[in-house]
Amino acid sequence: MKQSQINETSTAELQEKLAESKKAYSDLKMAHTISPLENPIQLRSHRRTIARIATELTKREVQ
């Protein structure tokens, strides 16, 4: 998810996306532990998406 998409999304949708992304990340991490992923860069991409969404939510709380 790109930053421009995150900025356009409502707060409630961002909270849902954050929960979904965290679940997907933990599933990928577990799958990678059991057997190596074909593309381990997916882990980094999910982690960064989670950070972008969390940062935007925090920014919105402060304002």
Side-chain angles (χ1 to χ4, degrees):
M1 188 170 218
K2 299 201 178 214
Q3 190 62 38
S4 59
Q5 294 172 329
I6 292 173
N7 291 338
E8 296 170 357
T9 310
S10 71
T11 304
E13 290 175 353
L14 280 179
Q15 290 172 340
E16 291 174 18
K17 267 298 216 195
L18 182 62
E20 291 172 8
S21 295
K22 283 185 176 182
K23 172 129 178 53
Y25 176 69
S26 69
D27 291 345
L28 269 177
K29 202 168 162 186
M30 186 66 71
H32 185 61
T33 303
I34 295 169
S35 66
L37 292 175
E38 188 173 308
N39 185 6
I41 302 300
Q42 292 174 332
L43 291 171
R44 183 184 340 163
S45 136
H46 277 280
R47 194 171 57 240
R48 288 181 178 179
T49 299
I50 291 169
R52 283 188 193 105
I53 294 172
T55 301
E56 181 65 25
L57 285 172
T58 303
K59 186 171 90 173
R60 290 181 186 188
E61 282 179 13
V62 170
Q63 290 179 353

